Every structure is written in C-alpha cells, then in structure tokens.
C-alpha cells in the first residue's frame, strides 16, 4: 500500500513536492529490509529465501503458473524464481501492443505534454539512482545475477544515472525537434518531424542487466512508443526492480509491458503482435533469424569480434597494458565491446607489454569478482576452442588456459583463467583458420598477433573480412598512421579510413570498452545497426521521419483550370 500511495502522489502533486516527500520518507521510515520501490532485499536472496520476478501487462503486475528457477552463478543454489509466460499466455501482451496506434502514445501533434512528463520522470529517476542506498542496491543486485566486480557493476549504475540526467527537463521534447523548409509559393512550407512507431519490442541480453534495457526503454518511451520489454531471464530481476522504481517516479503503469519467457514464446509474441519496430541486442545468429521473421522491421546491436591495433609508436607501456587487460578481461570478458583480438606492431612485441599483460591478468581473482563465471560458455567449450587454436602452426599459449579451481560455480557456466593465445597473422588469414580464429568467445579469452611495417595491409584485410563491426581501438598518437597515406613508408595507410567499426577509439588512450553515456555506442556498416545513449541514437532507433507539407494558399489571382497534362 505504501508504494501505491507513492505512485498516486507522484502523478497528482508537483514534482518537487513529491520528490521531497518521497525522499523524506525514504530517509526516515525505510525499514531494515526495503527501499520505497523494492520488493526484495539483495542480501536475503538465497536457496532458502528465493526471490520472485513477475510480469507486467496492461498496467498490472501478474504471475503465471510456470516458474523458471535460476541457479546462483556462484554457488549453484536455486535462488530466483521467474514467473515465465508460455505460448498459451501471450494474448494479454498481444492485445496490449495492439491497442497502441501506429502514431504512438504521443507525437508532436498528440499529447505533447507527455514529452514533459518523461523529462520529469528522468529527473526523479536520476536523483533516485544518485542516492547511495539506491545505487548500492542495484550494484549488488547486478553482482548477484551477472557477477562482476563491484566497481564494474557500479559503473553500469552510474552510466544509467547520467543518461537519465541528460534527458531531464526539456531534453526529451528537444528529441522531437522539427525543421521547416520554404516552399515554392506563398503558403507552402515543408516540415520534417520525428515520428514514433507506436507498438515496439525490446529484447536485451544478460551482460548489462540495467544499462542496456533502461537506455533503450527510455529512448523508446521518449519518442512516444509503447514497448514490450524482454530481458534475459538470468538477470530480469534487475529490470523488474528498476521498473518499480520508475513507476514510483511517475511512469504510467500501462506505458510499458514486461514479459519473462523463453525465446520460442517471445518469437511467437512478435509474430502475433507485429510490433512496428523491434530492438534486439544479442547474438548475430538470433539477430539474423529475427530480421527474416520480422521482415526487416528491426534494429540490431549484435555481437562484435572487437579488435585493437597497437601502432608503431610505443609509449606508456604500463598504461596501455592496463587498458588492454580491462578491455579483454573486465566482467570476465562478457562485454559485446570486449577486446577479442590484439594486433601488436613488432615494436610493441619487443617491449614488456605481454609480460605486463600476464602480470595484470594474474591479479584477477574470484574473491572480488574481477574474474568470475561465464554465463554463455562452459569451461569445457572454452578450453576446447583454445586447444583447436593451438593446433594452428606457430600458435602458442601466452598465459591462462586453465580452469579456475576452488569454487562452487555450477558446471552449466564456465570458469577459466584470463587467457591469451598467440596466432601468427599469416596463419590467421588462411581460409582454413580465419573463421576459427575470429569466433567470438564471450568470456575472458583473446587472440594476440603481431604485424610488421610491411604487413599493415594484411591487418586491414583481416578487419575487412570480419562480419560484425561494433567497437575498435587504434592505439597510436601518430596521426599519419591513423589517417593519412604519405610517402613510401608502408605503414602510412588509412587505418581509420579503411575500417568500419561504429564506435572506434583512436589515440594513445584508445580502448574498446567502457563507453559512457556521452557518445554513440553501436555498430556501423549495417543498415539494421542500432545505437544507444545519445540523442542521435534515440532518434535513429526509436523514431522515423515524417514530412508534413503545409500548402494553404492563397491561389494566384485569376487562376483558371489549366489543360490536362
């Protein structure tokens, strides 16, 4: 009842008054177990006290009779019960989406006050996430379901909070900014508008259980769409709690549907509800299937075999080694932006870089989750892939390559040491090896190779043959190496001009991971590509262009009907 009263107040009263009252209640009457929005206490989730995750449809939280029991990725206990919808239970979700018109819940000519509403919601939600108690709650909850270090999980909460700050106040309505072009005669003007799709769907993965779904969900809502959200069941509890926080901040209960289901059921829902646009973040295989099933009405942020090139200028070896370690092994390598392959110029090979990478990887330990369970690959699968790579002539294990020991991670998940395998560049490029070497292993695993001055063209060929172009890094302060072709030296080629990746860092401090909220994050080279985080990303993914041409006259004096043409 307390949460119901808060929601009612948030809709009825002035925003500042509501915030003051809610935060006062938060600070003075919070029990030992709960926040105003929360239905769980993170530390109490266990096999003896499993948490429950519900569905949200047509403005109501609901439970189904089917429960999917999740295993704690650190000890194998059955610690979360997810109420999952099967194929027989999708009708309320189909009806809910079908009730949303193609012109959306709001647009520049319909209910424009909702742009202001979402500016207010963002203000309140950003303030809530800035509170240490709330930030810590979500950080620890992320750690429970997608184990990563506290700092990595906290970074996800921070980026989400800053994103919400960015779209506070008037910033939501600025997303719908239009333009006008003079017409051919008096009374004629053409106006371009950003228009919602109406009913839409969002499907997000396990590795960023707060950041990705919140940023895409809010982008969809800002532009006037009605979304159904599906988050990977392994981590859906995080977004369920965040939705409850958003409801407390004024989000109308029936603006978003939240479904827990398996992939087959979700596919059926998409085919029957026919959302006008679906955002999918996840594997390339599923992405390609959905693109066919949905007849192209989709935006994708799929997998990435992300590369980093170390240029010929060697500087700050300690710093570059640290960034490489973070890019490859933070979150146990379970980032779509993780460094999958490192192309080292021979000058770097002669440095202490590889030894420093080994030392940094050795610091990672399960106790602080700087290395942890891999949720999509088993230990056996990762080690089998490593052994296949080691059969390539000239390949060698640089470090790692062993299963973690002394843990209770269930065998359905993977647990290996941070691992690096060296593969000669010429061998990598052979047709018989290329697909194997460039297979993305969503875990603490990377390929390292070396190139010489006269081999940069081979590196660029390797990049050209890759099929997913998400993130990349060119570590060099040599501007000629980055972007110009000049003189006879073979490494003066267009590294940036001859590559594609949508989020590319260039310079000595270049990285592949750790994208903040202030720049575009997403792939390039694919018309289906989706972005996240920025106004440009939101407008690209969650709205389309509509042109309205006003032509009100007056007619020329003495106008007559002309001859037929």
């Amino acid at each position: 009842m307390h949460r119901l009263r808060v929601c009612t107040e948030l809709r009825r009263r002035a925003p500042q008054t509501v915030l003051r009252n809610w935060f006062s209640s938060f600070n003075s009457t919070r029990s030992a177990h709960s926040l105003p929005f929360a239905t769980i206490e993170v530390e109490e989730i266990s096999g003896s006290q499993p948490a429950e995750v519900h569905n949200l449809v047509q403005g109501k939280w609901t439970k189904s009779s089917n429960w999917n029991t999740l295993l704690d990725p650190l000890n194998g206990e059955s610690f979360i019960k997810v109420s999952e919808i099967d194929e027989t239970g999708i009708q309320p979700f189909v009806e809910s989406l079908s009730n949303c018109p193609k012109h959306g819940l709001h647009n520049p000519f319909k209910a424009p006050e909702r742009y202001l509403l979402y500016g207010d919601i963002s203000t309140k939600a950003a303030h809530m996430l800035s509170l240490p108690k709330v930030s810590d709650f979500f950080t620890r909850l992320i750690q429970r379901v997608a184990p990563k270090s506290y700092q990595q999980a906290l970074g996800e909460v921070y980026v989400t909070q800053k994103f919400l700050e960015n779209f506070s106040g008037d910033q939501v309505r600025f997303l719908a900014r239009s333009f006008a072009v003079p017409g051919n005669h008096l009374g004629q003007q053409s106006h371009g508008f950003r228009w919602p799709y109406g009913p839409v769907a969002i499907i997000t993965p396990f590795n960023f259980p707060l950041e990705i779904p919140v940023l895409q969900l809010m982008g969809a809502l800002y532009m006037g769409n009605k979304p159904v959200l599906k988050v990977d069941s392994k981590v859906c509890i995080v977004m369920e709690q965040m939705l409850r926080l958003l409801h407390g901040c004024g989000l109308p209960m029936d603006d978003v549907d939240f479904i827990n289901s398996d992939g087959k059921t979700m596919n059926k829902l998409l085919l029957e509800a026919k959302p006008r646009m679906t955002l999918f973040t996840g594997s390339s295989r599923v992405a390609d299937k959905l693109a066919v099933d949905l007849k192209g009405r989709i935006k994708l942020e799929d997998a990435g075999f992300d590369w980093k090139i170390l240029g010929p200028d060697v500087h700050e070896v300690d710093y570059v080694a640290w960034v490489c370690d973070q890019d490859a092994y933070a979150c146990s390598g379970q980032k779509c932006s993780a460094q999958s392959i490192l192309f080292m110029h021979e000058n770097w090979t002669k440095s202490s870089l590889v030894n420093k990478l080994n030392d940094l990887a050795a610091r990672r330990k399960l106790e602080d989750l700087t290395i942890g369970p891999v949720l999509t690959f088993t230990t056996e699968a990762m080690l089998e892939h490593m052994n296949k790579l080691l059969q390539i002539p000239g390949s060698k294990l640089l470090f790692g390559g062993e299963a973690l020991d002394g843990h209770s991670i269930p065998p359905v998940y993977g647990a290996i040491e941070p691992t690096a395998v060296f593969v000669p560049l010429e061998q990598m490029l052979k047709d018989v090896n290329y697909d194997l070497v460039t297979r993305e292993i969503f875990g603490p695993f990377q390929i390292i190779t070396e190139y010489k001055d006269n081999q940069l063209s081979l590196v660029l060929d390797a990049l050209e043959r890759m099929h997913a172009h998400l993130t990349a890094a060119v570590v060099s302060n040599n501007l000629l190496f980055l972007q110009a072709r000049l003189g006879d030296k073979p490494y003066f080629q267009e590294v940036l001009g001859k590559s594609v990746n949508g989020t590319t860092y260039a310079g000595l401090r270049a990285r592949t991971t750790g994208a903040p909220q202030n720049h575009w994050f997403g792939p390039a080279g694919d018309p289906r590509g989706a972005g996240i985080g920025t106004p440009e990303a939101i407008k690209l993914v969650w709205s389309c262009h509509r042109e309205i041409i006003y032509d009100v006259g007056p007619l020329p004096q003495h106008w007559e009907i002309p001859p037929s043409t």
Side-chain angles (χ1 to χ4, degrees), residues 472-522:
V474 187
V475 181
S476 176
N477 277 354
N478 184 334
L479 289 179
L480 297 177
F481 176 79
L482 292 174
Q483 63 191 22
R485 185 183 185 93
L486 180 67
D488 298 327
K489 291 188 177 181
Y491 62 76
F492 285 167
Q493 297 189 45
E494 299 173 349
V495 176
L496 296 180
K498 292 186 176 179
S499 54
V500 179
N501 295 44
T503 302
T504 302
Y505 298 87
L508 181 65
R509 301 184 66 173
R511 62 191 194 272
T512 66
T513 67
Q517 70 293 331
N518 65 308
H519 70 60
W520 163 282
F521 182 86

Short mmCIF file of all heavy atoms in Angstrom, two decimals, residues 472-522:
data_model
loop_
_atom_site.label_atom_id
_atom_site.label_comp_id
_atom_site.label_asym_id
_atom_site.label_seq_id
_atom_site.Cartn_x
_atom_site.Cartn_y
_atom_site.Cartn_z
N ALA A 472 36.21 -0.77 -31.67
CA ALA A 472 37.60 -0.96 -32.10
C ALA A 472 38.46 0.11 -31.46
O ALA A 472 37.95 1.14 -30.98
CB ALA A 472 37.71 -0.90 -33.62
N ALA A 473 39.77 -0.12 -31.48
CA ALA A 473 40.72 0.86 -30.95
C ALA A 473 41.97 0.86 -31.81
O ALA A 473 42.47 -0.20 -32.20
CB ALA A 473 41.08 0.55 -29.50
N VAL A 474 42.47 2.06 -32.10
CA VAL A 474 43.75 2.22 -32.78
C VAL A 474 44.64 3.01 -31.82
O VAL A 474 44.46 4.21 -31.63
CB VAL A 474 43.61 2.97 -34.12
CG1 VAL A 474 44.94 2.95 -34.87
CG2 VAL A 474 42.51 2.36 -34.97
N VAL A 475 45.57 2.30 -31.18
CA VAL A 475 46.38 2.89 -30.13
C VAL A 475 47.64 3.48 -30.76
O VAL A 475 48.62 2.78 -31.03
CB VAL A 475 46.74 1.86 -29.06
CG1 VAL A 475 47.58 2.51 -27.94
CG2 VAL A 475 45.48 1.23 -28.48
N SER A 476 47.57 4.76 -31.03
CA SER A 476 48.71 5.46 -31.64
C SER A 476 48.47 6.95 -31.57
O SER A 476 47.33 7.40 -31.74
CB SER A 476 48.89 5.03 -33.10
OG SER A 476 49.92 5.77 -33.72
N ASN A 477 49.52 7.68 -31.31
CA ASN A 477 49.45 9.14 -31.41
C ASN A 477 50.07 9.64 -32.70
O ASN A 477 50.26 10.85 -32.88
CB ASN A 477 50.15 9.79 -30.21
CG ASN A 477 49.25 9.87 -28.99
OD1 ASN A 477 48.06 9.53 -29.06
ND2 ASN A 477 49.79 10.28 -27.86
N ASN A 478 50.40 8.71 -33.61
CA ASN A 478 50.95 9.06 -34.91
C ASN A 478 49.79 9.32 -35.86
O ASN A 478 49.17 8.40 -36.38
CB ASN A 478 51.83 7.91 -35.41
CG ASN A 478 52.51 8.22 -36.73
OD1 ASN A 478 52.03 9.03 -37.51
ND2 ASN A 478 53.62 7.54 -36.98
N LEU A 479 49.48 10.60 -36.10
CA LEU A 479 48.32 10.93 -36.91
C LEU A 479 48.45 10.41 -38.33
O LEU A 479 47.44 10.08 -38.97
CB LEU A 479 48.11 12.45 -36.93
CG LEU A 479 47.62 13.07 -35.62
CD1 LEU A 479 47.47 14.57 -35.77
CD2 LEU A 479 46.30 12.45 -35.19
N LEU A 480 49.66 10.33 -38.85
CA LEU A 480 49.83 9.78 -40.19
C LEU A 480 49.45 8.32 -40.22
O LEU A 480 48.84 7.83 -41.17
CB LEU A 480 51.27 9.98 -40.67
CG LEU A 480 51.71 11.44 -40.82
CD1 LEU A 480 53.17 11.52 -41.23
CD2 LEU A 480 50.84 12.17 -41.83
N PHE A 481 49.79 7.59 -39.16
CA PHE A 481 49.40 6.19 -39.09
C PHE A 481 47.89 6.05 -38.99
O PHE A 481 47.28 5.17 -39.58
CB PHE A 481 50.06 5.55 -37.87
CG PHE A 481 49.66 4.11 -37.64
CD1 PHE A 481 50.23 3.08 -38.38
CD2 PHE A 481 48.72 3.77 -36.68
CE1 PHE A 481 49.87 1.77 -38.17
CE2 PHE A 481 48.34 2.47 -36.47
CZ PHE A 481 48.92 1.46 -37.23
N LEU A 482 47.25 6.96 -38.24
CA LEU A 482 45.81 6.87 -38.04
C LEU A 482 45.03 7.15 -39.31
O LEU A 482 44.04 6.48 -39.61
CB LEU A 482 45.35 7.86 -36.97
CG LEU A 482 45.80 7.60 -35.53
CD1 LEU A 482 45.38 8.75 -34.65
CD2 LEU A 482 45.21 6.30 -35.02
N GLN A 483 45.46 8.14 -40.09
CA GLN A 483 44.52 8.61 -41.10
C GLN A 483 45.12 9.00 -42.44
O GLN A 483 44.37 9.32 -43.36
CB GLN A 483 43.75 9.82 -40.56
CG GLN A 483 44.64 11.02 -40.26
CD GLN A 483 43.88 12.09 -39.50
OE1 GLN A 483 42.88 11.81 -38.85
NE2 GLN A 483 44.35 13.31 -39.56
N ALA A 484 46.42 9.01 -42.63
CA ALA A 484 46.97 9.53 -43.88
C ALA A 484 47.83 8.52 -44.61
O ALA A 484 48.42 7.63 -44.01
CB ALA A 484 47.79 10.78 -43.61
N ARG A 485 47.89 8.67 -45.90
CA ARG A 485 48.82 7.92 -46.74
C ARG A 485 49.82 8.92 -47.29
O ARG A 485 49.48 9.82 -48.03
CB ARG A 485 48.08 7.21 -47.87
CG ARG A 485 49.00 6.32 -48.70
CD ARG A 485 48.25 5.69 -49.86
NE ARG A 485 49.09 4.76 -50.58
CZ ARG A 485 49.14 3.46 -50.33
NH1 ARG A 485 48.37 2.96 -49.40
NH2 ARG A 485 49.94 2.66 -51.02
N LEU A 486 51.08 8.77 -46.91
CA LEU A 486 52.07 9.77 -47.26
C LEU A 486 53.43 9.10 -47.42
O LEU A 486 53.85 8.31 -46.57
CB LEU A 486 52.15 10.85 -46.18
CG LEU A 486 53.14 11.99 -46.39
CD1 LEU A 486 52.70 12.85 -47.58
CD2 LEU A 486 53.24 12.85 -45.14
N GLY A 487 54.12 9.38 -48.51
CA GLY A 487 55.47 8.89 -48.68
C GLY A 487 55.53 7.41 -48.98
O GLY A 487 54.55 6.77 -49.35
N ASP A 488 56.71 6.84 -48.80
CA ASP A 488 56.96 5.45 -49.19
C ASP A 488 56.78 4.47 -48.05
O ASP A 488 56.73 3.27 -48.27
CB ASP A 488 58.38 5.31 -49.75
CG ASP A 488 58.56 6.16 -51.00
OD1 ASP A 488 57.58 6.30 -51.74
OD2 ASP A 488 59.68 6.66 -51.22
N LYS A 489 56.73 4.96 -46.80
CA LYS A 489 56.66 4.02 -45.69
C LYS A 489 55.33 3.28 -45.70
O LYS A 489 54.26 3.90 -45.73
CB LYS A 489 56.84 4.77 -44.37
CG LYS A 489 58.26 5.31 -44.19
CD LYS A 489 58.47 5.87 -42.80
CE LYS A 489 59.90 6.32 -42.62
NZ LYS A 489 60.15 6.85 -41.26
N PRO A 490 55.37 1.94 -45.67
CA PRO A 490 54.14 1.16 -45.87
C PRO A 490 53.13 1.31 -44.76
O PRO A 490 51.97 1.03 -44.95
CB PRO A 490 54.65 -0.28 -45.98
CG PRO A 490 55.98 -0.27 -45.28
CD PRO A 490 56.57 1.08 -45.54
N TYR A 491 53.57 1.72 -43.55
CA TYR A 491 52.54 1.84 -42.50
C TYR A 491 51.81 3.17 -42.56
O TYR A 491 50.91 3.42 -41.76
CB TYR A 491 53.13 1.59 -41.11
CG TYR A 491 54.20 2.54 -40.63
CD1 TYR A 491 53.91 3.82 -40.19
CD2 TYR A 491 55.52 2.12 -40.58
CE1 TYR A 491 54.89 4.66 -39.73
CE2 TYR A 491 56.52 2.95 -40.12
CZ TYR A 491 56.20 4.23 -39.70
OH TYR A 491 57.19 5.06 -39.24
N PHE A 492 52.18 4.07 -43.47
CA PHE A 492 51.40 5.29 -43.65
C PHE A 492 50.17 4.99 -44.51
O PHE A 492 50.11 5.33 -45.68
CB PHE A 492 52.26 6.38 -44.30
CG PHE A 492 53.26 7.01 -43.38
CD1 PHE A 492 54.27 7.81 -43.88
CD2 PHE A 492 53.18 6.81 -42.01
CE1 PHE A 492 55.19 8.40 -43.02
CE2 PHE A 492 54.10 7.41 -41.16
CZ PHE A 492 55.11 8.20 -41.66
N GLN A 493 49.22 4.33 -43.93
CA GLN A 493 47.99 3.99 -44.65
C GLN A 493 46.80 4.43 -43.82
O GLN A 493 46.93 4.79 -42.65
CB GLN A 493 47.93 2.49 -44.94
CG GLN A 493 49.06 2.02 -45.87
CD GLN A 493 48.86 0.59 -46.30
OE1 GLN A 493 47.77 0.20 -46.67
NE2 GLN A 493 49.93 -0.18 -46.26
N GLU A 494 45.65 4.34 -44.41
CA GLU A 494 44.46 4.89 -43.79
C GLU A 494 43.78 3.88 -42.87
O GLU A 494 42.80 3.24 -43.25
CB GLU A 494 43.50 5.36 -44.86
CG GLU A 494 44.09 6.44 -45.76
CD GLU A 494 43.20 6.78 -46.92
OE1 GLU A 494 42.22 6.05 -47.15
OE2 GLU A 494 43.48 7.77 -47.61
N VAL A 495 44.27 3.76 -41.63
CA VAL A 495 43.70 2.78 -40.71
C VAL A 495 42.25 3.14 -40.38
O VAL A 495 41.36 2.28 -40.41
CB VAL A 495 44.54 2.68 -39.42
CG1 VAL A 495 43.89 1.73 -38.42
CG2 VAL A 495 45.95 2.22 -39.76
N LEU A 496 42.00 4.40 -40.07
CA LEU A 496 40.62 4.80 -39.79
C LEU A 496 39.79 4.81 -41.06
O LEU A 496 38.62 4.42 -41.06
CB LEU A 496 40.59 6.17 -39.12
CG LEU A 496 41.24 6.26 -37.74
CD1 LEU A 496 41.14 7.68 -37.19
CD2 LEU A 496 40.61 5.28 -36.77
N GLY A 497 40.37 5.26 -42.16
CA GLY A 497 39.63 5.32 -43.41
C GLY A 497 39.33 3.97 -44.01
O GLY A 497 38.41 3.84 -44.82
N LYS A 498 40.08 2.95 -43.60
CA LYS A 498 39.88 1.61 -44.15
C LYS A 498 39.33 0.64 -43.12
O LYS A 498 39.57 -0.57 -43.20
CB LYS A 498 41.20 1.09 -44.73
CG LYS A 498 41.66 1.87 -45.96
CD LYS A 498 42.88 1.26 -46.60
CE LYS A 498 43.24 2.01 -47.88
NZ LYS A 498 44.45 1.45 -48.53
N SER A 499 38.62 1.16 -42.15
CA SER A 499 37.93 0.30 -41.18
C SER A 499 36.51 0.82 -40.99
O SER A 499 36.15 1.88 -41.50
CB SER A 499 38.70 0.24 -39.85
OG SER A 499 38.92 1.55 -39.36
N VAL A 500 35.69 0.08 -40.24
CA VAL A 500 34.24 0.31 -40.26
C VAL A 500 33.63 0.53 -38.88
O VAL A 500 32.64 1.22 -38.75
CB VAL A 500 33.53 -0.89 -40.95
CG1 VAL A 500 32.02 -0.71 -40.97
CG2 VAL A 500 34.04 -1.08 -42.37
N ASN A 501 34.20 -0.06 -37.84
CA ASN A 501 33.51 -0.21 -36.56
C ASN A 501 32.85 1.08 -36.07
O ASN A 501 33.43 2.16 -36.12
CB ASN A 501 34.48 -0.74 -35.51
CG ASN A 501 34.94 -2.14 -35.85
OD1 ASN A 501 35.27 -2.43 -37.00
ND2 ASN A 501 34.97 -3.02 -34.87
N GLY A 502 31.60 0.93 -35.59
CA GLY A 502 30.77 2.09 -35.29
C GLY A 502 31.25 2.92 -34.12
O GLY A 502 31.04 4.13 -34.09
N THR A 503 31.88 2.30 -33.13
CA THR A 503 32.45 3.02 -32.00
C THR A 503 33.93 2.72 -31.99
O THR A 503 34.36 1.65 -31.56
CB THR A 503 31.79 2.59 -30.68
OG1 THR A 503 30.37 2.82 -30.76
CG2 THR A 503 32.35 3.37 -29.51
N THR A 504 34.73 3.65 -32.48
CA THR A 504 36.17 3.44 -32.65
C THR A 504 36.92 4.51 -31.88
O THR A 504 36.70 5.70 -32.08
CB THR A 504 36.57 3.48 -34.13
OG1 THR A 504 35.84 2.50 -34.86
CG2 THR A 504 38.06 3.22 -34.30
N TYR A 505 37.82 4.08 -31.00
CA TYR A 505 38.66 4.99 -30.25
C TYR A 505 40.02 5.07 -30.92
O TYR A 505 40.55 4.05 -31.39
CB TYR A 505 38.84 4.50 -28.81
CG TYR A 505 37.56 4.43 -28.02
CD1 TYR A 505 36.75 3.31 -28.06
CD2 TYR A 505 37.16 5.50 -27.21
CE1 TYR A 505 35.58 3.24 -27.32
CE2 TYR A 505 35.99 5.44 -26.46
CZ TYR A 505 35.20 4.31 -26.52
OH TYR A 505 34.06 4.25 -25.80
N ALA A 506 40.61 6.25 -30.98
CA ALA A 506 41.90 6.44 -31.63
C ALA A 506 42.78 7.33 -30.78
O ALA A 506 42.33 8.36 -30.27
CB ALA A 506 41.71 7.04 -33.02
N GLY A 507 44.03 6.95 -30.63
CA GLY A 507 44.97 7.70 -29.82
C GLY A 507 45.61 6.81 -28.77
O GLY A 507 45.22 5.65 -28.60
N LEU A 508 46.56 7.35 -28.05
CA LEU A 508 47.30 6.56 -27.09
C LEU A 508 46.40 5.94 -26.03
O LEU A 508 46.64 4.83 -25.55
CB LEU A 508 48.37 7.43 -26.41
CG LEU A 508 49.25 6.72 -25.38
CD1 LEU A 508 50.10 5.64 -26.03
CD2 LEU A 508 50.13 7.72 -24.63
N ARG A 509 45.32 6.64 -25.66
CA ARG A 509 44.43 6.14 -24.60
C ARG A 509 43.24 5.37 -25.16
O ARG A 509 42.26 5.15 -24.45
CB ARG A 509 43.96 7.32 -23.74
CG ARG A 509 45.09 8.08 -23.09
CD ARG A 509 44.60 9.19 -22.18
NE ARG A 509 43.88 8.66 -21.02
CZ ARG A 509 43.46 9.40 -20.00
NH1 ARG A 509 43.72 10.71 -19.99
NH2 ARG A 509 42.80 8.86 -19.00
N ALA A 510 43.31 4.96 -26.40
CA ALA A 510 42.18 4.27 -27.03
C ALA A 510 41.88 2.95 -26.34
O ALA A 510 42.77 2.23 -25.90
CB ALA A 510 42.48 4.03 -28.51
N ARG A 511 40.58 2.64 -26.30
CA ARG A 511 40.11 1.41 -25.66
C ARG A 511 38.99 0.84 -26.52
O ARG A 511 38.56 1.45 -27.50
CB ARG A 511 39.60 1.71 -24.26
CG ARG A 511 38.41 2.68 -24.23
CD ARG A 511 38.11 3.16 -22.83
NE ARG A 511 36.81 3.81 -22.72
CZ ARG A 511 36.58 5.10 -22.92
NH1 ARG A 511 37.59 5.88 -23.28
NH2 ARG A 511 35.39 5.61 -22.79
N THR A 512 38.49 -0.32 -26.14
CA THR A 512 37.32 -0.87 -26.84
C THR A 512 36.09 -0.90 -25.94
O THR A 512 34.97 -0.99 -26.44
CB THR A 512 37.57 -2.30 -27.35
OG1 THR A 512 37.74 -3.19 -26.24
CG2 THR A 512 38.79 -2.35 -28.26
N THR A 513 36.27 -0.86 -24.63
CA THR A 513 35.14 -0.98 -23.69
C THR A 513 34.99 0.30 -22.87
O THR A 513 35.77 1.24 -23.00
CB THR A 513 35.34 -2.16 -22.72
OG1 THR A 513 36.46 -1.88 -21.86
CG2 THR A 513 35.59 -3.45 -23.47
N GLY A 514 33.98 0.30 -22.02
CA GLY A 514 33.80 1.41 -21.09
C GLY A 514 33.11 2.61 -21.69
O GLY A 514 33.36 3.74 -21.28
N ALA A 515 32.22 2.38 -22.67
CA ALA A 515 31.53 3.51 -23.30
C ALA A 515 30.67 4.23 -22.27
O ALA A 515 29.84 3.62 -21.61
CB ALA A 515 30.67 3.02 -24.45
N PRO A 516 30.84 5.55 -22.14
CA PRO A 516 29.97 6.32 -21.25
C PRO A 516 28.67 6.68 -21.95
O PRO A 516 28.40 6.22 -23.06
CB PRO A 516 30.81 7.57 -20.97
CG PRO A 516 31.59 7.76 -22.23
CD PRO A 516 31.86 6.38 -22.78
N GLN A 517 27.88 7.52 -21.31
CA GLN A 517 26.58 7.90 -21.85
C GLN A 517 26.69 9.08 -22.81
O GLN A 517 25.71 9.44 -23.45
CB GLN A 517 25.62 8.26 -20.72
CG GLN A 517 25.95 9.55 -20.00
CD GLN A 517 27.25 9.50 -19.20
OE1 GLN A 517 27.66 8.44 -18.72
NE2 GLN A 517 27.92 10.63 -19.07
N ASN A 518 27.89 9.64 -22.95
CA ASN A 518 28.00 10.89 -23.72
C ASN A 518 28.40 10.69 -25.17
O ASN A 518 28.57 11.65 -25.89
CB ASN A 518 29.01 11.84 -23.04
CG ASN A 518 30.42 11.28 -23.05
OD1 ASN A 518 30.63 10.15 -22.63
ND2 ASN A 518 31.38 12.04 -23.53
N HIS A 519 28.61 9.44 -25.60
CA HIS A 519 28.86 9.25 -27.02
C HIS A 519 28.10 8.04 -27.55
O HIS A 519 27.71 7.16 -26.81
CB HIS A 519 30.36 9.17 -27.35
CG HIS A 519 31.07 7.93 -26.88
ND1 HIS A 519 30.73 6.66 -27.28
CD2 HIS A 519 32.15 7.77 -26.07
CE1 HIS A 519 31.53 5.78 -26.75
NE2 HIS A 519 32.40 6.42 -26.00
N TRP A 520 27.92 8.05 -28.86
CA TRP A 520 27.24 6.96 -29.56
C TRP A 520 27.93 5.64 -29.27
O TRP A 520 29.15 5.52 -29.28
CB TRP A 520 27.28 7.24 -31.06
CG TRP A 520 26.99 6.08 -31.95
CD1 TRP A 520 27.84 5.05 -32.28
CD2 TRP A 520 25.76 5.80 -32.63
NE1 TRP A 520 27.23 4.17 -33.12
CE2 TRP A 520 25.95 4.61 -33.36
CE3 TRP A 520 24.54 6.46 -32.71
CZ2 TRP A 520 24.95 4.06 -34.15
CZ3 TRP A 520 23.56 5.91 -33.50
CH2 TRP A 520 23.75 4.73 -34.20
N PHE A 521 27.13 4.61 -29.01
CA PHE A 521 27.66 3.25 -28.92
C PHE A 521 26.80 2.35 -29.80
O PHE A 521 25.59 2.24 -29.59
CB PHE A 521 27.64 2.74 -27.48
CG PHE A 521 28.23 1.36 -27.33
CD1 PHE A 521 29.59 1.19 -27.16
CD2 PHE A 521 27.42 0.23 -27.41
CE1 PHE A 521 30.13 -0.09 -27.05
CE2 PHE A 521 27.95 -1.03 -27.31
CZ PHE A 521 29.31 -1.20 -27.13
N GLY A 522 27.42 1.73 -30.78
CA GLY A 522 26.68 0.85 -31.68
C GLY A 522 27.51 0.50 -32.89
O GLY A 522 28.56 1.10 -33.14
#
